[in-house]
DNA sequence: CATTATACTTAGAAAATGGTAA
DNA sequence: TTACCATTTTCTAAGTATAATG
């Protein structure tokens, strides 16, 4: 079966779909209405036929019942109770041993497993570049966290040769030394016991967050003009005006909603005189302010080295003082120790609240979390914390409530910390457990497509989409509070189109909706007949703005999944399918004869396959075209160099033929080497160009960081003798230290 | 049951950094 | 040295999941 992933057509950040959100105003009402219609009709929901045959007439009967349901009675949605009552929320301890058992599996197992992620990249043409091959001497893979890392300076240097850019000698030197020194203190939390009582820590001490610097009024020469006349603003009004002025070049400031929201909140900061004077945003001229800020940032760039160094040192000091905490005897890096500064809210997509004022956070807004027996952080002089609590069932150090959505923001640890790492590891172990039972689960949902209960069919079809297409769960969202985006369970009728026949394919479903971050998901995919028929059924008597799965939500789905496997939720499918795809693609694409750059390209292509599956898109970089051109220029130059070098080689050979002396022989060798070197360089450039072109609209980072079991990558690096640095940068190596330390070359996901 | 609150993961854009070519 | 550019880091919005509440 092959489907068209169709991402070629897809549009990044398309806001076009959100524009009809007004249509959904009555959605909830409608839904409720529908519930009621269903209530007394539970029996009718059952199908008489067992449905082993799927003849049209049986579908027809079903439709008739549905019609009945839509016209009377009341709701039974969500009524079916899960009889199996809450199995104990026992923590899953067995996971810890997971990798030990698996790491002993041999390579042939790796090769014989058949993966059934049907949807995955069937048609993303991934061709290994076998053209580029040349000699490669196996080297020891380096890992900073390896015990032996200390002795490895020499190898380090060898490895660096692969990367044309990193040739500076002292960089190598310092990096080598640094990793030696730090490595001695590296704590292998993954070799320790975990808490089993639900507590996250025993001891927690930190210095509290760093607040945004206070507002500095503009110099008098920087003017704000209203209706063409200069006007001095009060400090609070001026501050908010600067937020807008700083964004003048951004498209946001041209959007009606943004301007409206900004203006409304700005007025709240104005004095009564200002309020009465300023009555129209269109008469406000911020361009002088805007230019001032541009000049400022220009000046910052032009600062002398010393000044820059001073700033850097100050930042370093702040980091040292506030950027770490002590958690259970270990110093751990904090992720975001700076409180978000005030500004204008930048929602993504068609966000109804864009432009609203994000207010300044004060100590009085902050809840501190730390252990009782720690030195509590001091609030800035003359201020107080909102609260100091000691809750070791949570991982955050500080929190505050944000004023746009009223949600809570947290200060938490860096991904390299034990507390994040353990959780990450556990996530992949859950996904690996899914691997063991995914066949069973798939069989079950296929079976459920035939269920006599509507809710079961919907659940089964939704799960099929989540599994096959790696869709997100799709929680309900409050209308009007956020951009209109959906996931699987919240898909609406308007988001899919059914084609009984399309070109030469049957039963094609076209998806077109905005997902998380208002990234468009567009895909045309053939599905099984039974799925198709079910979808037709779900669409009966519905308006475009009605829910496709009106008897399903994420809570119902996840409760069901929990019964199928401990710890199973919708998002586990994404993790599982992403990781298994990487593993499978790596196996398919890797070629031992390839050079390191070619291998890395293969890795990136496997990574890309996953990113496409998960629909991780990015706006093509503004400078993309130019940067491709630059690269092409380099390639052309290199080609010229090559032909020149070849000519020289030829000449040298001729010379040698004539003279047959030692000197000319040497010259030939020298030229031959030169040609070889240039060929390699050219190859590298070409690989780079290919990689970049393929990556134009695809973001690899998200999947690499959040979906791919790092042990797969580490194992691959070991197996093919690719230095881990080619795959993970420093930050990523810190985050995945546990995987780098524990995974061997035969690790299997 | 439905709704709301809470905690934590996942996400792309923008800013900062730092190496390299001019 | 500077300007440019790719890569890395930071930022914080936007999801998921589930517990608490009514």
């Amino acid at each position: 079966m092959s489907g068209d992933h169709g991402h070629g057509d897809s549009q990044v950040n398309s806001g076009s779909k959100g524009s009809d959100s007004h249509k959904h105003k009555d959605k909830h009402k409608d839904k409720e209405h529908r519930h009621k219609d269903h209530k007394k009709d539970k029996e009718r929901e059952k199908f008489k036929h067992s449905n082993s045959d799927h003849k049209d007439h049986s579908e027809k009967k079903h439709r008739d019942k549905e019609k009945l349901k839509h016209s009377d009675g009341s709701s039974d949605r969500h009524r079916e109770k899960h009889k199996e009552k809450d199995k104990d929320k026992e923590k899953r301890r067995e996971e810890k041993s997971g990798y030990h058992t698996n790491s002993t599996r041999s390579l042939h197992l790796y090769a014989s497993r058949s993966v059934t992620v049907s949807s995955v990249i069937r048609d993303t043409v991934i061709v290994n570049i076998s053209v580029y091959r040349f000699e490669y001497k196996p080297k020891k893979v380096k890992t900073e966290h390896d015990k032996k890392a200390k002795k490895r300076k020499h190898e380090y240097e060898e490895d660096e040769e692969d990367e044309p850019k990193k040739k500076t000698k002292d960089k190598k030197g310092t990096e080598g030394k640094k990793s030696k020194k730090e490595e001695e203190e590296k704590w292998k939390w993954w070799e320790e016991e975990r808490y089993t009582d639900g507590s996250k820590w025993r001891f927690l001490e930190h210095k509290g967050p760093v607040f945004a610097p206070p507002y500095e009024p503009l110099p008098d020469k920087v003017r704000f003009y209203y209706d063409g006349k200069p006007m001095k603003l009060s400090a609070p009004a001026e501050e908010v005006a600067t937020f807008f002025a700083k964004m003048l070049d951004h498209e946001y400031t041209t959007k009606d909603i943004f301007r409206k929201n900004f203006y409304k909140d700005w007025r709240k900061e104005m004095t009564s005189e200002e309020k009465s004077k300023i009555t129209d945003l269109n008469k406000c001229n911020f361009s002088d302010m805007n230019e001032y800020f541009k000049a400022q940032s220009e000046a910052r760039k032009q600062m002398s080295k010393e000044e820059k160094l001073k700033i850097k040192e100050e930042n370093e000091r702040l980091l040292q003082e506030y950027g770490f905490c002590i958690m259970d005897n270990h110093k751990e890096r904090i992720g975001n120790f700076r409180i978000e500064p005030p500004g204008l809210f930048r929602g993504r997509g068609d966000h109804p609240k864009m432009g609203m004022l994000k207010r300044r956070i004060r100590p009085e807004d902050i809840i501190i979390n730390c252990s009782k027996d720690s030195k509590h952080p001091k609030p800035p002089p003359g201020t107080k914390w909102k609260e100091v609590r000691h809750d070791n069932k949570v991982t955050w150090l500080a929190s505050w409530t944000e004023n746009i959505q009223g949600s809570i923001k947290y200060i938490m640890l860096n991904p390299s910390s034990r507390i994040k790492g353990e959780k990450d590891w556990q996530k992949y172990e859950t996904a690996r457990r899914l691997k063991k039972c995914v066949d069973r689960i798939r069989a079950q949902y296929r079976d459920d497509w035939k269920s006599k209960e509507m809710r079961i069919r919907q659940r089964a079809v939704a799960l099929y989409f989540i599994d096959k297409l790696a869709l997100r769960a799709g929680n309900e969202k409050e209308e009007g509070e956020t951009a209109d985006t959906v996931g699987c369970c919240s898909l609406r009728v308007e988001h899919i189109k059914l084609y009984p026949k399309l070109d030469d394919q049957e039963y094609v479903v076209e998806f077109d909706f905005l997902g998380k971050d208002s990234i468009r998901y567009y895909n045309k995919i053939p599905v099984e007949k039974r799925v198709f028929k079910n979808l037709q059924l779900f669409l009966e008597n519905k308006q475009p703005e009605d829910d496709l799965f009106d008897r399903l939500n994420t809570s119902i789905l996840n409760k069901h999944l929990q019964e199928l496997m401990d710890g199973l939720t919708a998002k586990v499918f994404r993790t599982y399918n992403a990781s298994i795809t990487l593993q499978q693609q790596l196996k398919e694409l890797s070629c031992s004869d390839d050079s390191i750059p070619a291998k890395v390209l293969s890795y990136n292509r496997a990574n890309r396959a996953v990113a496409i599956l998960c629909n991780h898109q990015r706006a093509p970089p503004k400078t993309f075209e130019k940067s491709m051109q630059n690269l092409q220029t380099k390639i052309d130059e290199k080609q010229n160099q090559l032909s020149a070098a070849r000519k020289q080689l030829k000449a040298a050979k001729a010379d040698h033929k004539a003279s047959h002396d030692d000197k000319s022989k040497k010259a030939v060798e020298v030229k031959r080497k030169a040609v070889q070197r240039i060929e390699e360089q050219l190859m590298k450039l070409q690989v780079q160009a290919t990689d970049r072109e393929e990556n134009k609209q695809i973001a690899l980072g998200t999947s690499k960081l959040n979906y791919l079991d790092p042990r797969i990558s580490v194992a691959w690096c070991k197996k093919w003798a690719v230095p881990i640095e080619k795959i993970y940068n420093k930050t990523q190596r810190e985050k995945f230290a546990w995987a780098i330390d524990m995974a061997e070359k035969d690790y299997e996901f």
Side-chain angles (χ1 to χ4, degrees), chain A residues 375-590:
Chain A
K375 227 173 92 190
H376 298 188
K378 282 198 295 283
T383 66
K384 279 191 197 142
W385 302 123
K386 179 178 184 183
E387 183 190 335
V388 177
R389 66 170 76 155
H390 312 288
D391 182 356
N392 78 346
K393 300 278 190 271
V394 297
T395 67
W396 51 269
L397 318 190
S399 73
W400 72 92
T401 302
E402 153 266 358
N403 69 305
I404 305 288
Q405 322 269 358
S407 64
I408 309 172
K409 301 257 186 164
Y410 301 93
I411 287 186
M412 290 185 187
L413 297 193
N414 193 65
S416 63
S417 63
R418 182 214 103 218
I419 212 153
K420 293 288 185 194
E422 263 178 5
K423 199 83 185 296
D424 205 37
W425 179 16
Q426 187 181 260
K427 173 180 77 187
Y428 292 112
E429 289 308 317
T430 305
R432 293 173 84 203
R433 283 193 290 118
L434 172 57
K435 183 188 170 190
K436 290 186 199 149
C437 61
V438 73
D439 289 341
R440 190 191 89 222
I441 289 170
R442 285 172 176 160
Q444 155 131 207
Y445 69 59
R446 296 173 61 87
D447 210 47
D448 285 346
W449 294 340
K450 300 178 268 180
S451 169
K452 40 196 169 127
E453 284 185 85
M454 184 58 130
R455 58 177 193 97
I456 305 253
R457 287 192 185 213
Q458 291 194 354
R459 194 179 71 192
V461 171
L463 186 51
Y464 168 74
F465 286 159
I466 285 171
D467 183 21
K468 187 181 177 73
L469 305 174
L471 300 189
R472 294 186 184 83
N475 283 319
E476 285 115 308
K477 313 163 71 189
E478 209 176 330
E479 212 168 326
E481 297 291 301
T482 61
D484 178 25
T485 62
V486 297
C488 186
C489 294
S490 49
L491 279 169
R492 296 191 297 261
V493 170
E494 60 194 317
H495 296 131
I496 64 164
K497 267 194 200 141
L498 303 182
Y499 300 96
K501 257 208 177 81
L502 188 69
D503 303 327
D504 52 346
Q505 294 176 318
E506 285 193 313
Y507 308 123
V508 175
V509 184
E510 181 187 63
F511 292 84
D512 191 353
F513 61 89
L514 298 182
K516 183 177 181 180
D517 293 316
S518 293
I519 297 289
R520 185 180 181 198
Y521 183 92
Y522 182 81
N523 200 0
K524 272 189 222 153
I525 181 155
V527 299
E528 295 184 45
K529 183 175 177 185
R530 216 159 243 152
V531 171
F532 196 84
K533 294 289 176 191
N534 269 313
L535 289 169
Q536 289 179 321
L537 183 65
F538 304 160
L539 294 177
E540 288 275 314
N541 298 315
K542 284 189 191 168
Q543 300 300 307
E545 61 273 22
D546 289 341
D547 285 346
L548 173 62
F549 302 115
D550 54 299
R551 310 195 156 208
L552 183 70
N553 61 36
T554 54
S555 170
I556 293 170
L557 180 62
N558 280 335
K559 257 176 209 134
H560 171 64
L561 292 175
Q562 187 59 236
E563 283 166 8
L564 298 180
M565 186 194 101
D566 185 29
L568 187 61
T569 64
K571 85 198 251 298
V572 178
F573 282 88
R574 251 167 101 82
T575 312
Y576 162 73
N577 279 312
S579 286
I580 204 77
T581 300
L582 178 77
Q583 185 167 83
Q584 185 195 21
Q585 289 289 309
L586 282 176
K587 204 167 77 182
E588 235 163 76
L589 299 175
S590 301

Side-chain angles (χ1 to χ4, degrees), chain A residues 619-635:
Chain A
K622 291 230 172 358
T623 55
F624 185 83
E625 290 309 325
K626 200 162 92 191
S627 112
M628 280 315 284
Q629 252 170 17
N630 287 347
L631 204 51
Q632 193 53 52
T633 314
K634 274 192 195 169
I635 288 172

Side-chain angles (χ1 to χ4, degrees), chain A residues 133-362:
Chain A
R133 312 208 151 143
F134 57 90
E135 275 308 311
Y136 166 68
K137 339 163 201 81
K139 285 167 206 156
K140 191 140 195 250
V141 176
K142 48 181 166 155
T143 45
E144 287 168 351
H145 308 282
D146 197 299
K147 275 177 196 151
K148 291 148 257 169
K150 293 173 198 171
K151 301 162 207 158
R152 250 195 242 125
K153 176 107 188 284
H154 181 63
E155 283 159 304
Y156 235 103
E157 284 168 9
E158 263 188 12
D159 285 339
E160 291 294 332
E161 285 171 12
D162 295 319
E163 206 123 275
K165 315 168 248 188
K166 293 186 184 169
K167 277 269 165 77
T168 355
K169 227 194 285 164
D170 50 1
K171 204 221 158 197
K172 271 181 274 171
T174 49
E175 207 176 88
K177 256 180 243 160
K178 211 175 163 192
S179 76
K180 271 189 231 170
K181 202 184 151 200
E182 283 175 358
E183 189 257 331
E184 279 153 11
E185 306 156 16
K186 283 260 153 66
W187 168 41
K188 297 191 179 183
W189 51 259
W190 49 93
E191 290 175 351
E192 296 190 15
E193 294 289 311
R194 291 196 263 171
Y195 293 124
T196 53
D197 59 353
S199 65
K200 306 292 169 66
W201 45 263
R202 291 289 131 84
F203 180 83
L204 172 61
E205 183 171 278
H206 59 93
K207 301 275 276 228
V210 172
F211 289 90
Y215 177 64
E216 284 181 40
L218 293 172
D220 285 339
K221 58 169 172 101
V222 183
R223 299 267 179 74
F224 162 75
Y225 297 89
Y226 185 73
D227 209 6
K229 294 180 221 53
M231 177 175 173
K232 179 74 187 165
L233 296 171
S234 66
E238 186 187 86
E239 180 179 11
V240 178
T242 63
F243 299 153
F244 192 87
K246 282 175 184 168
M247 293 178 74
L248 230 47
D249 294 327
H250 204 289
E251 199 200 337
Y252 271 123
T253 56
T254 65
K255 295 188 178 175
D256 265 6
I257 303 181
F258 189 95
R259 294 174 70 87
K260 191 183 118 268
N261 287 333
F262 159 72
Y263 183 60
K264 188 173 163 216
D265 282 0
W266 186 30
R267 283 187 71 80
K268 292 180 196 158
E269 303 299 314
M270 293 179 188
T271 63
S272 44
E273 299 97 284
E274 284 165 343
K275 261 187 224 164
S276 59
K277 235 180 183 172
I278 299 173
T279 55
D280 182 0
L281 181 57
N282 293 317
K283 291 182 179 166
C284 295
N285 181 348
F286 302 94
S287 55
D288 198 27
M289 294 161 83
N290 177 259
E291 264 152 48
Y292 170 71
F293 292 120
K294 275 192 203 149
Q296 290 267 297
S297 77
E298 197 51 38
R300 224 171 302 128
K301 267 191 257 170
Q302 300 301 327
M303 281 188 306
S304 70
K305 256 193 195 136
E306 295 75 41
E307 289 172 302
K308 279 184 181 165
L309 192 69
K310 227 176 123 185
I311 291 173
K312 209 175 159 187
E313 275 168 359
E314 172 60 14
N315 277 330
E316 182 61 25
R317 195 189 61 75
L318 222 59
L319 173 68
Q320 288 308 322
E321 181 166 5
Y322 294 98
F324 296 85
C325 72
I326 305 288
M327 186 177 272
D328 293 354
N329 298 317
H330 295 275
K331 188 172 166 185
E332 301 254 43
R333 178 89 188 264
I334 298 171
N336 55 329
F337 59 95
R338 287 170 203 272
I339 299 233
E340 296 171 18
L344 304 184
F345 176 73
R346 298 153 87 115
R348 290 150 185 254
D350 229 329
H351 197 116
K353 300 195 171 182
M354 63 167 79
M356 281 174 64
L357 174 63
K358 219 171 79 159
R359 70 170 223 289
R360 180 179 290 273
I361 305 301
R362 307 150 304 156

Side-chain angles (χ1 to χ4, degrees), chain A residues 654-666:
Chain A
D655 191 32
H656 177 55
K657 214 167 187 177
S659 60
H660 276 288
D661 60 1
D662 237 28
K663 195 177 148 199
S664 67
K665 192 178 171 185
K666 253 182 201 153

